[in-house]
Amino acid sequence: MNEPRKASEGRANFSATMKAVFWSFFGVRKRKDYEHDAANLNPIHVIVGALIGVAIFIGILMLVVRMAVAK
């Protein structure tokens, strides 16, 4: 269970966090990847990434609604 960490493993960078947040929006994640993310992601990065993802999602929805109403 408690395996020693490799030197290359450490805290994930922000782009890896954004990738994990992106996949979580779809609910698609392998168990192995989920466990890796849970061990390596910075919680602050996850919160910031989720807020960015929500802002992008809302922006896309507003754009689609405006395009639909304009026609």
Side-chain angles (χ1 to χ4, degrees):
M1 266 171 99
N2 293 335
E3 297 176 3
R5 284 195 166 184
K6 297 178 184 174
S8 63
E9 288 184 30
R11 287 300 217 189
N13 58 15
F14 191 70
S15 63
T17 303
M18 287 303 295
K19 179 181 166 188
V21 169
F22 171 76
W23 284 113
S24 69
F25 268 82
F26 292 107
V28 179
R29 203 74 176 143
K30 293 180 183 177
R31 182 174 184 89
K32 181 181 109 179
D33 293 335
Y34 169 77
E35 290 172 354
H36 181 267
D37 290 344
N40 294 320
L41 292 180
N42 184 343
I44 301 298
H45 287 175
V46 173
I47 293 169
V48 171
L51 291 174
I52 291 169
V54 167
I56 291 170
F57 180 72
I58 291 172
I60 290 172
L61 285 179
M62 290 176 62
L63 180 66
V64 168
V65 168
R66 286 185 185 187
M67 289 174 53
V69 171
K71 289 187 178 185

